[in-house]
Amino acid sequence: MRRLLRAAKFLARDGRIPKPLRGLAAFGLLPIPGPLDEAALLLVGTVLWLFYRRTLREAWAASGS
């Protein structure tokens, strides 16, 4: 769990990920009732997985050390 949080912190500060995408991720973390916040997180996760896979790997590797 700690490694996941460190990787998320690294990704939040990474300048290679566009600010609107990071903003959508922050919106998805808000405690809004209903499926809107979960849909936002699914969208962000899909975009990150499709287009920023190398960045995700680097964040995961950096959080392990």
Side-chain angles (χ1 to χ4, degrees):
M1 187 59 134
R2 289 181 194 169
R3 186 175 186 182
L4 182 64
L5 291 175
R6 285 192 304 255
K9 186 192 290 188
F10 181 80
L11 287 171
R13 294 180 180 158
D14 193 350
R16 293 176 288 180
I17 297 174
K19 285 186 181 182
L21 190 59
R22 287 186 275 164
L24 187 60
F27 173 77
L29 294 175
L30 292 174
I32 299 172
L36 189 59
D37 54 340
E38 287 89 358
L41 286 177
L42 270 173
L43 178 65
V44 168
T46 303
V47 170
L48 285 174
W49 185 72
L50 288 174
F51 300 110
Y52 296 96
R53 207 174 295 178
R54 176 180 283 172
T55 307
L56 290 173
R57 271 194 232 118
E58 290 172 5
W60 188 255
S63 67
S65 57

